[in-house]
Amino acid sequence: MQDMGIEVLFQGRNFVRLLEGLWVTVRISVFSVIVSTLLGIILGMIMTMKNPLLRIITRCYLEFVRIMPQLVLLFLVYFGLTKMFRINLSGEISAIIVFVIWGTAEMGDLVRGALTSIPVHQYESGKALGLTTVQNYCYVIIPQTIRRLLPQAINLVTRMIKTTSLIVLIGVVEVVKVGQQIIEASRLTSPSAAVWVYGVIFFLYFIVCYPISILSKRLEVKWRN
Amino acid sequence: MEELSEMKTPGETLVEIKNLNKKFDDTSVLKDISLDIHQGEVVVLLGPSGCGKSTLLRCINGLEKIQGGEIILEGEKLNEQTKRMHLIRQKIGMVFQSYDLFPHMTVLENIILGPRKAEKRAKKEVVKEAEELLQRVGLLDKKNAYPRQLSGGQKQRVAIVRALCMHPKIMLFDEVTAALDPEMVREVLDVMLKLAKDGMTMVIVTHEMQFAKAVADRIIFLDNGIIVEESDPQTFFTNPSTDRAKQFLNLFEFDAI
């Protein structure tokens, strides 16, 4: 009988191992996304300030992180730090550091864009109502900023989740790596396992990312009405 | 028309502006302006674009930093960037040219935000008042609508209600009909006329001359950052004393071809 390769998924702990790999992916992503969102909001607010020195510093940071491929950043942190400063970080910690550096820069720029797109008269009418600066931000500016930010922020989050597949290259065993291991182990017994394993990985990424875009669509619709 | 243009007996002084100077970088926009606004008075600021009338209005609400002089509201100086500025602003209602409703809130939420958060009043009481005010401007049925579902004129009426719900001592109107279609202008001006009749102290910047004539107790004509002429509307529109004002008023007249 022709070998279908699908049974590889159900051999031993293979499927559970894939899920464990997914958990590593999700764990790194969720942590990085949360931290970069918080830091990104702060960075975005700093970027709207008029101080020229702060502007130059944040601009340089943003451009540096944007120009640099994420893989190079990963190597810089994982191998570079060890070589230069004898700091030995685990792959997972390095990955989180890189994703936070990257996510903060991107999120900061999105927040800056959203904040500056709020018309001046929105700030002024809040003030004219006698709201304090804090109240003005809480009730008038930030709710509008979040609404403008949401589509791009969700896009960034899914990009971050997908980019975690790069961390295979610094030795973190996440979902893609587990898949490769399974394929390698069964290369002789079922050569067509790769299709099935990568198919499952595709599906796993999908079930992580799809609910996020559904949520964002829901919120967009809700806020439009 | 006649009874409105009669000079009212001036109430006590509500806003005192003394030697106000305002610059944008090196350009002087307001030069040594002194002006008293009395309780219950309707002052209309007229003048060509860029003469400083909107800036003057914004200074009264502390939205602009001033470079000299002082503005005093009920004995309290407001040109210092004090921590109390938001408290002073609660006494001043302002409506802007651009529709300035908060797009993420319904009409009712827009109106009760200030009273609820800035003044910390009870929700029930504020909602009741908001509904009464909406009724008065004929928009009660729109209370749960979002700003983008309203026409320009409706938005401005809501903006007026939002300012009124704070029980301001004085209302400032900054070219509130300038961005409106002609048919919408009337409904907004009617609301303002009603307010004036009810004795609200108002400072109005407008380009609607007929309206200015009808609503004003006093016309202030500004040009180039100084008060060129100050008189009652009757005198101003029929017999202006300065050439500059005559020139300005002529802009609104058309000769037959």
Side-chain angles (χ1 to χ4, degrees):
Chain A
M1 193 185 84
Q2 170 86 44
D3 168 40
M4 293 297 287
I6 190 172
E7 67 274 9
V8 169
L9 291 173
F10 307 105
Q11 280 165 6
R13 291 185 68 250
N14 278 357
F15 196 75
V16 179
R17 281 180 60 209
L18 275 177
L19 288 181
E20 284 166 359
L22 183 70
W23 170 238
V24 175
T25 300
V26 169
R27 190 167 65 198
I28 293 174
S29 311
V30 167
F31 191 80
S32 312
V33 164
I34 291 172
V35 177
S36 12
T37 305
L38 295 177
L39 293 179
I41 289 172
I42 297 169
L43 178 71
M45 287 166 110
I46 292 173
M47 286 170 89
T48 57
M49 287 179 185
K50 294 208 170 64
N51 185 322
L53 184 67
L54 281 176
R55 281 202 162 186
I56 291 171
I57 294 172
T58 51
R59 196 75 226 168
C60 287
Y61 164 57
L62 179 65
E63 291 302 331
F64 176 79
V65 174
R66 273 216 180 136
I67 290 165
M68 200 69 91
Q70 282 85 49
L71 187 58
V72 178
L73 281 177
L74 278 171
F75 284 163
L76 264 181
V77 170
Y78 187 61
F79 298 114
L81 284 182
T82 317
K83 275 269 180 218
M84 300 281 292
F85 305 106
R86 307 252 164 257
I87 302 171
N88 193 7
L89 297 174
S90 76
E92 204 172 319
I93 297 291
S94 306
I96 287 173
I97 291 174
V98 167
F99 281 96
V100 165
I101 290 175
W102 172 49
T104 302
E106 296 273 359
M107 191 62 85
D109 199 40
L110 295 181
V111 171
R112 181 199 57 79
L115 278 176
T116 48
S117 75
I118 308 281
V120 186
H121 58 78
Q122 287 286 321
Y123 291 85
E124 286 183 345
S125 21
K127 265 200 222 169
L129 276 181
L131 298 176
T132 62
T133 310
V134 174
Q135 286 173 332
N136 205 5
Y137 268 91
C138 285
Y139 301 116
V140 179
I141 304 303
I142 291 178
Q144 290 187 61
T145 309
I146 291 174
R147 282 160 170 77
R148 285 175 193 227
L149 193 60
L150 191 81
Q152 295 141 304
I154 295 293
N155 186 307
L156 176 63
V157 169
T158 47
R159 256 163 69 214
M160 284 174 79
I161 294 173
K162 288 182 289 185
T163 313
T164 51
S165 57
L166 285 179
I167 61 180
V168 178
L169 296 162
I170 55 169
V172 180
V173 183
E174 45 69 83
V175 66
V176 176
K177 184 69 190 173
V178 174
Q180 287 173 345
Q181 288 171 347
I182 293 173
I183 294 163
E184 290 298 325
S186 54
R187 186 170 294 286
L188 296 174
T189 51
S190 29
S192 59
V195 179
W196 293 100
V197 172
Y198 282 125
V200 168
I201 290 173
F202 161 80
F203 184 68
L204 291 179
Y205 273 111
F206 180 79
I207 58 171
V208 172
C209 293
Y210 189 63
I212 299 174
S213 32
I214 290 287
L215 176 72
S216 107
K217 282 227 179 66
R218 284 257 169 89
L219 287 174
E220 270 179 70
V221 170
K222 186 183 159 206
W223 285 339
R224 198 177 308 137
N225 296 316
Chain B
M1 215 61 86
E2 274 305 301
E3 61 214 34
L4 266 175
S5 55
E6 258 174 49
M7 287 294 265
K8 288 180 198 164
T9 42
E12 51 187 299
T13 307
L14 192 66
V15 180
E16 259 178 280
I17 300 169
K18 289 186 200 157
N19 309 98
L20 174 63
N21 275 292
K22 164 76 197 164
K23 284 178 189 162
F24 286 121
D25 297 325
D26 286 334
T27 338
S28 253
V29 227
L30 295 173
K31 299 162 193 159
D32 228 17
I33 301 272
S34 292
L35 176 66
D36 285 357
I37 298 158
H38 307 283
Q39 189 83 49
E41 191 184 25
V42 177
V43 175
V44 173
L45 303 177
L46 295 179
S49 298
C51 68
K53 50 196 192 310
S54 283
T55 310
L56 176 57
L57 212 58
R58 292 166 57 81
C59 286
I60 299 176
N61 205 5
L63 290 175
E64 299 284 348
K65 263 200 182 121
I66 62 178
Q67 278 70 44
E70 49 189 13
I71 301 169
I72 296 160
L73 174 73
E74 289 194 310
E76 188 163 16
K77 203 170 142 181
L78 89 188
N79 56 358
E80 292 159 315
Q81 290 297 311
T82 56
K83 287 222 166 117
R84 289 182 38 78
M85 196 56 224
H86 69 281
L87 295 176
I88 303 175
R89 282 206 189 95
Q90 289 173 13
K91 298 188 200 168
I92 309 169
M94 183 156 184
V95 184
F96 299 82
Q97 173 183 342
S98 46
Y99 318 129
D100 55 341
L101 297 179
F102 306 130
H104 60 297
M105 297 180 188
T106 62
V107 165
L108 194 64
E109 286 165 348
N110 260 283
I111 297 169
I112 66 175
L113 178 72
R116 289 278 293 128
K117 302 302 174 187
E119 295 184 320
K120 311 254 184 274
R121 279 154 61 190
K123 184 165 182 188
K124 221 172 145 191
E125 172 237 340
V126 179
V127 169
K128 190 163 162 272
E129 187 182 353
E131 285 174 348
E132 282 166 12
L133 287 167
L134 279 174
Q135 176 89 56
R136 268 174 52 189
V137 301
L139 288 174
L140 187 56
D141 56 327
K142 299 283 185 199
K143 67 174 180 178
N144 292 320
Y146 281 88
R148 81 198 120 71
Q149 298 164 316
L150 305 180
S151 71
Q154 291 172 330
K155 282 185 209 172
Q156 287 301 52
R157 282 185 280 161
V158 172
I160 293 172
V161 167
R162 184 173 72 178
L164 283 178
C165 209
M166 297 287 290
H167 304 153
K169 294 281 165 61
I170 180 169
M171 287 282 285
L172 312 175
F173 293 90
D174 187 7
E175 298 193 35
V176 290
T177 58
L180 296 181
D181 290 341
E183 310 98 275
M184 310 277 178
V185 169
R186 184 68 202 220
E187 60 190 49
V188 176
L189 296 184
D190 280 342
V191 170
M192 289 164 71
L193 271 173
K194 222 192 275 178
L195 266 183
K197 267 193 198 140
D198 293 347
M200 174 62 79
T201 313
M202 293 157 70
V203 184
I204 301 169
V205 170
T206 186
H207 287 294
E208 306 286 337
M209 293 302 141
Q210 294 303 318
F211 172 67
K213 205 192 268 183
V215 79
D217 293 316
R218 185 154 53 120
I219 302 274
I220 310 275
F221 178 69
L222 285 158
D223 188 31
N224 234 334
I226 52 174
I227 297 179
V228 176
E229 191 162 339
E230 182 178 350
S231 55
D232 65 286
Q234 205 64 28
T235 320
F236 181 81
F237 284 103
T238 52
N239 190 19
S241 56
T242 59
D243 286 343
R244 188 65 192 90
K246 276 179 203 157
Q247 222 179 355
F248 175 75
L249 287 172
N250 274 337
L251 290 175
F252 298 92
E253 306 288 335
F254 292 93
D255 294 326
I257 308 168

